[in-house]
Amino acid sequence: MPTAKYEIKRKCETCGATFLARTLDSRYCCKKCSEIATNKRRSEEHKRALMDQLISKVPDGRDYISIAEAEAIFGVCAKTIRRLIQKGDVPSINLGTRLTRISKTALLEKLPLRQEPIDRSRPLPKTYSLEPGDCYTIGEIAEKFGFNDSTVYMHIRKYSIPTRQIGNYVYAPKSEIDRIYKDVTRL
Ligand SMILES: [Zn+2]
């Protein structure tokens, strides 16, 4: 077995510990941290689904909504909404205990709509240049990061990095390569 000539140092997205990643895709230091992240994502998706369901049931023509509906629509907590009511910033009706209704129109003027989390799966707009001066050759990448050529080609395919061939050399944009290998250190 040849010894690896590189190491990938990452910060675990759950516990924050620094760990040596086995692949460029590793995000968690251990199975437990990965499971915690999965559960957290599932519970957030579940919460979001419940909120969307609640929102879809509010008739467009009805202005007075419940606090739970306001929480879902505006993505703020009940405390914030009650504070607005107490300050007299939004008109409300009290139909009984836990039956406060508040004006959606008034809230719209006070609060921005709920922000959806940024979709991490959506690729960012590409800003690379394929001019040789802005590129590494495959050999340069292998040398700089300690991978062999075939591993570099594998990553290029996997992460859809654009390449350009000039003569015998294949070029890939430095910006893209530095981005995917940002945690990699040559040993
Ligand atoms: Zn961890």
Side-chain angles (χ1 to χ4, degrees):
M1 276 288 283
T3 7
K5 287 193 296 242
Y6 58 89
E7 65 179 23
I8 308 165
K9 232 180 226 167
R10 283 270 157 84
K11 217 171 163 183
C12 173
E13 289 180 27
T14 296
C15 74
T18 304
F19 68 103
L20 288 179
R22 270 198 292 199
T23 75
L24 287 177
D25 293 324
S26 310
R27 292 165 59 190
Y28 308 102
C29 70
C30 62
K31 200 160 165 261
K32 179 116 185 118
C33 278
S34 160
E35 279 169 7
I36 290 170
T38 305
N39 289 340
K40 202 172 145 208
R41 197 174 55 240
R42 283 205 192 117
S43 106
E44 272 161 15
E45 275 165 12
H46 180 67
K47 236 193 278 173
R48 213 156 47 232
L50 285 180
M51 286 204 282
D52 287 341
Q53 203 181 23
L54 199 58
I55 292 169
S56 69
K57 284 185 188 155
V58 181
D60 286 342
R62 174 156 66 79
D63 189 37
Y64 277 75
I65 55 175
S66 71
I67 292 196
E69 288 165 345
E71 281 184 288
I73 294 173
F74 296 97
V76 292
C77 63
K79 219 168 132 187
T80 304
I81 296 161
R82 288 188 203 283
R83 202 179 306 132
L84 287 171
I85 296 172
Q86 269 158 22
K87 274 167 64 187
D89 281 350
V90 290
S92 67
I93 317 172
N94 206 338
L95 305 171
T97 317
R98 291 176 182 278
L99 284 173
T100 304
R101 294 290 179 271
I102 37 184
S103 164
K104 197 165 61 183
T105 322
L107 280 176
L108 272 169
E109 287 166 12
K110 297 284 170 197
L111 300 166
L113 284 172
R114 171 157 68 98
Q115 296 289 306
E116 290 298 332
I118 297 158
D119 184 358
R120 297 182 65 146
S121 62
R122 203 179 302 156
L124 291 166
K126 297 270 185 270
T127 52
Y128 52 78
S129 151
L130 278 168
E131 289 306 309
D134 299 320
C135 290
Y136 297 120
T137 63
I138 301 305
E140 283 169 348
I141 299 166
E143 178 59 32
K144 180 168 181 182
F145 296 99
F147 296 110
N148 57 38
D149 288 15
S150 60
T151 307
V152 173
Y153 277 115
M154 186 190 79
H155 291 150
I156 281 174
R157 268 197 300 274
K158 186 170 176 185
Y159 295 97
S160 307
I161 307 289
T163 55
R164 175 184 185 185
Q165 180 148 12
I166 304 172
N168 288 324
Y169 294 100
V170 174
Y171 294 88
K174 284 181 181 169
S175 58
E176 299 300 291
I177 295 297
D178 287 338
R179 183 173 56 79
I180 66 166
Y181 290 157
K182 68 174 165 36
D183 302 321
V184 177
T185 313
R186 205 208 142 101
L187 295 177

